[in-house]
Amino acid sequence: MTSVIDILLGGLFHAAVLFLVAAGLQLVFGVQKIVNLACGSFYALGAYFGISCVNWALALGLPPSLFLPVLIGSGILMATVAPPIEALLRTVYRRDESFQLLLTFSLVLMTQDVLRIVWGPTPQHLGTLSMTYGKVAVGSVTIPTYNLLVILASIAIAALLGFFLQRTRFGRILRATAENRDMSAALGVNVKWVYASVFTLGTMLGTVGGALVVPTSAASLDMAVELVVEAFAVVVIGGLGSMRGALAGAVIVGLMRAAAVTVYPELEMLAIYLIVIAVLIARPAGLFGKAAI
Amino acid sequence: MRSHLLVLLLLAVLALLPQVAGQYHLTLMIPFFAYGIALLGFNLLFGYTGLLSFGHALFVGIGAYAAAAITSKLGLRSFELILVASAVGAFLVAIPVGLLSVRYTKIFFGMLTLAFGMLFHSFLFKFYDITGGDGGMRVLRPSLLGMDLSTLDKTAFLTGPFYYYCLVLLGFAGLAMWRMVNSPFGLHLKAIRENPRKAEYLGVRVRLYRLFAFLISAMYCAMGGAILAVSTGLADPELAYWTHSGNLVFMVVLGGFANFLGPIVGAFSFIFLQDQLMSLTQYWRFFLGATLALIVILFPRGLMGLLQDLGGRFRAAEAPAPQRISHELGTERVNP
């Protein structure tokens, strides 16, 4: 029983972070029809920048218990890299998708070195800072309160995102643009602006996700390319372009990984790719996708 | 006719290169040959059939690990055996992978191949007992055409016999590919790329031909992988990682996927560009990425496209040329 709760909580924590990145990927794909390989790079940027911000804040005398708001703030701030990148992507919106994919791949290569230039090749971490919030007991296991907070934060963001997309005026404009770009433009929607804000929002989800993960694990140069494949797995399982899909996919991948690590470590990622392949073969649109192929 | 002469000239230059070029640059030519062969196959799938795979590093990995397993586990040294084994291995793996993947096109094809590639990578990475894990497996010096060359030192082997061996191999691989793309088979593939539905109405068995292209590309990639592994002496899981697949696509686009020689030009430029950048700065990935961005945005037809444009302008200046008919592939796909 203990191990089951362990797996559940560990998996949900991982799923919470994965959901944020995958939601960013989905948003950008849904509206701009671009599969953004660089979503993992934004995640890494958020992680590194989050560490720096927290260290600055602590050096300036901030009480350690306030590090969580600093992390979220740094993630939001990091999203300012998005508009210039969106301007770059704008050149290929009307091109074949292989070019779009390659352009985001070039971003992956470039960001990896930007991280190396700014933060150096050695992994960075925040030490035991996440323990400032103490631990809580869930049944017979204790977990850091921080992990629980991240899970709750992710749920809150998911709810907010859902409200924003379904109930607000901008959400409706956004969905209309996703449905039919030219028709929205004809009806007076400023598509350029919608694209720029969607891309910024998508990036922000990634950078906040990265910032939230660093108190529990180190930020390394490889984290970007490693996360991309997991985020891909999430969106494929959930269905490309679907927010509910991102949520379901993240929970499945997070739990699967946690279970595999405990039960049979060799299977860790292998299990996830097997699910991805199974889903793509049995139901290529994913669990919640509607895209007909 | 002119292009035939040009290719013969290029082969002659490559054959004479060991007489003039330095050892260092000659050792760089081996990865060039390896990627040249791999990308010729890759482009049959990408440039000619219109399917972008983000998982072909899987087959490069199969070639490399076949070389490692045969030389260091089975103790056999024949490079011919390695080539045959990697091609057969890739063929056998490509049958199920291809059958499942070619049911889809576009981004779904890319993602499915990526998933298969990563599946293989995590197998290599996690099953330490069989594959050596992240340390990889050693590839011992193979014999060429039955000749034992283990007494040569590494550079002498790579720049001497192995250089000519790979050059001849690239020549044959290129010739075979040239015959393929200009055969009815190649025309089928192009028809599928341009308009799969129309091709199907005309009686082309779309999925079957896509599968054929997939199988051939897999075998080419595996042979390239075997050469690559011999040149480094190591087969490691990074070869099958998704970023390596990305680099394969990078090279093809750099050279120009719309041209038969594009992949070869791309492999050559990539290897030497990377080498130059690495000697200039430790941040070479950044400049490599920037080059890719530049090519994608400004020169989507790659270096060969650029050359053709320049050549076209040159000829147009000589005489008012008739409307140049774009027989090249892919231009329509670039600007739909």
Side-chain angles (χ1 to χ4, degrees):
Chain A
M1 192 57 206
T2 309
S3 62
V4 172
I5 299 177
D6 241 359
I7 291 172
L8 217 60
L9 290 172
L12 281 180
F13 174 73
H14 192 60
V17 175
L18 262 182
F19 165 74
L20 293 177
V21 181
L25 190 66
Q26 298 285 45
L27 204 59
V28 170
F29 179 78
V31 178
Q32 287 158 287
K33 314 290 179 245
I34 284 188
V35 174
N36 184 13
L37 286 171
C39 64
S41 306
F42 296 142
Y43 166 78
L45 272 173
Y48 274 97
F49 190 63
I51 291 179
S52 292
C53 283
V54 168
N55 284 336
W56 286 329
L58 291 178
L60 288 174
L62 182 98
S65 56
L66 280 181
F67 81 90
L68 184 59
V70 173
L71 275 180
I72 293 179
S74 70
I76 292 172
L77 195 64
M78 197 64 226
T80 45
V81 298
I85 292 176
E86 198 270 338
L88 194 70
L89 287 176
R90 207 175 287 163
T91 54
V92 294
Y93 283 151
R94 297 269 176 189
R95 297 254 197 95
D96 191 90
E97 58 195 352
S98 49
F99 287 102
Q100 301 170 348
L101 211 57
L102 268 177
L103 192 56
T104 60
F105 181 62
S106 78
L107 290 175
V108 174
L109 294 175
M110 286 192 273
T111 328
Q112 207 173 0
D113 263 358
V114 170
L115 295 175
R116 203 189 302 263
I117 292 168
V118 180
W119 284 280
T122 44
Q124 310 264 316
H125 54 85
L126 276 175
T128 54
L129 198 59
S130 65
M131 287 305 165
T132 27
Y133 293 144
K135 292 186 174 192
V136 282
V138 180
S140 49
V141 266
T142 51
I143 63 155
T145 315
Y146 178 78
N147 292 23
L148 218 54
L149 286 177
V150 169
I151 296 173
L152 291 177
S154 186
I155 293 172
I157 292 174
L160 214 64
L161 208 60
F163 173 78
F164 170 74
L165 288 175
Q166 297 299 326
R167 296 267 179 264
T168 62
R169 184 179 143 77
F170 185 71
R172 274 189 280 270
I173 290 177
L174 203 149
R175 281 184 289 135
T177 314
E179 199 75 34
N180 192 332
R181 177 202 156 119
D182 294 332
M183 184 57 83
S184 309
L187 290 172
V189 170
N190 185 347
V191 173
K192 247 186 184 173
W193 186 77
V194 170
Y195 274 23
S197 20
V198 163
F199 193 75
T200 310
L201 189 61
T203 305
M204 197 181 291
L205 287 165
T207 49
V208 170
L212 286 177
V213 87
V214 279
T216 61
S217 61
S220 68
L221 291 174
D222 290 332
M223 69 190 295
V225 289
E226 278 165 13
L227 193 89
V228 174
V229 281
E230 269 186 76
F232 257 52
V234 168
V235 303
V236 168
I237 292 172
L240 213 54
S242 150
M243 279 296 161
R244 276 192 298 168
L247 196 59
V251 171
I252 292 175
V253 171
L255 289 180
M256 272 300 299
R257 227 189 123 177
V261 169
T262 338
V263 181
Y264 190 46
E266 273 76 21
L267 270 181
E268 193 190 348
M269 288 308 285
L270 219 61
I272 294 171
Y273 299 126
L274 285 175
I275 297 189
V276 167
I277 290 166
V279 167
L280 273 174
I281 291 162
R283 204 178 140 76
L287 300 177
F288 291 94
K290 55 179 177 182
I293 307 165
Chain B
M1 197 57 217
R2 269 180 48 158
S3 56
H4 283 107
L5 279 175
L6 197 70
V7 167
L8 282 178
L9 193 71
L10 270 176
L11 284 175
V13 168
L14 286 175
L16 292 173
L17 203 61
Q19 313 302 323
V20 286
Q23 298 262 297
Y24 177 68
H25 287 113
L26 285 178
T27 51
L28 281 181
M29 291 299 282
I30 304 297
F32 156 64
F33 291 133
Y35 282 115
I37 293 172
L39 296 181
L40 272 174
F42 183 83
N43 205 38
L44 184 72
L45 194 63
F46 178 42
Y48 287 88
T49 320
L51 291 173
L52 174 59
S53 159
F54 243 76
H56 260 55
L58 159 64
F59 301 110
V60 176
I62 287 182
Y65 275 86
I70 287 173
T71 55
S72 55
K73 288 252 160 114
L74 300 180
L76 299 169
R77 293 300 176 89
S78 158
F79 193 63
E80 293 74 40
L81 178 71
I82 293 175
L83 284 176
V84 172
S86 17
V88 171
F91 184 80
L92 293 177
V93 174
I95 289 177
V97 174
L99 270 174
L100 296 171
S101 302
V102 299
R103 294 161 66 198
Y104 310 111
T105 56
K106 301 191 171 192
I107 198 69
F108 285 89
F109 179 80
M111 287 176 121
L112 195 52
T113 47
L114 183 117
F116 277 116
M118 289 307 294
L119 186 69
F120 186 63
H121 173 263
S122 35
F123 164 74
L124 294 177
F125 203 78
K126 290 282 179 182
F127 286 78
Y128 188 87
D129 299 335
I130 311 171
T131 64
D134 59 348
M137 275 163 89
R138 276 186 16 99
V139 180
L140 305 176
R141 172 82 48 85
S143 66
L144 304 177
L145 300 170
M147 288 181 292
D148 179 31
L149 299 162
S150 50
T151 51
L152 289 174
D153 79 282
K154 190 173 180 187
T155 322
F157 169 74
L158 288 182
T159 59
F162 200 55
Y163 179 94
Y164 290 106
Y165 194 97
C166 294
L167 174 60
V168 172
L169 217 53
L170 177 66
F172 277 119
L175 186 67
M177 187 55 71
W178 179 252
R179 297 290 292 269
M180 263 187 264
V181 299
N182 287 301
S183 68
F185 171 68
L187 290 174
H188 275 77
L189 296 184
K190 287 183 226 176
I192 291 170
R193 180 196 71 217
E194 291 305 325
N195 192 334
R197 188 168 291 175
K198 205 185 251 179
E200 198 149 23
Y201 285 152
L202 293 172
V204 178
R205 298 181 66 186
V206 173
R207 272 192 199 172
L208 188 70
Y209 276 86
R210 278 183 179 146
L211 180 66
F212 285 156
F214 194 92
L215 294 175
I216 294 166
S217 70
M219 289 193 284
Y220 268 70
C221 281
M223 287 195 273
I227 297 175
L228 208 56
V230 168
S231 78
T232 55
L234 185 74
D236 73 318
E238 286 299 301
L239 284 171
Y241 203 54
W242 74 269
T243 47
H244 194 224
S245 296
N247 279 343
L248 295 179
V249 190
F250 183 172
M251 288 185 232
V252 171
V253 170
L254 178 66
F257 64 88
N259 189 293
F260 180 77
L261 289 178
I264 296 182
V265 173
F268 184 83
S269 337
F270 183 89
I271 298 284
F272 282 87
L273 179 71
Q274 188 182 31
D275 176 66
Q276 275 299 308
L277 288 174
M278 280 169 105
S279 68
L280 289 173
T281 163
Q282 57 166 321
Y283 304 117
W284 51 275
R285 278 182 205 85
F286 181 86
F287 294 97
L288 218 50
T291 311
L292 177 59
L294 204 72
I295 290 277
V296 167
I297 294 172
L298 296 178
F299 310 109
R301 290 168 64 227
L303 292 173
M304 285 309 279
L306 203 64
L307 269 176
Q308 278 168 347
D309 287 351
L310 289 177
R313 206 165 295 166
F314 180 63
R315 249 171 282 148
E318 279 178 339
Q323 186 81 38
R324 196 160 59 100
I325 298 162
S326 170
H327 67 285
E328 297 305 340
L329 358 141
T331 41
E332 298 85 345
R333 300 205 307 143
V334 176
N335 296 311

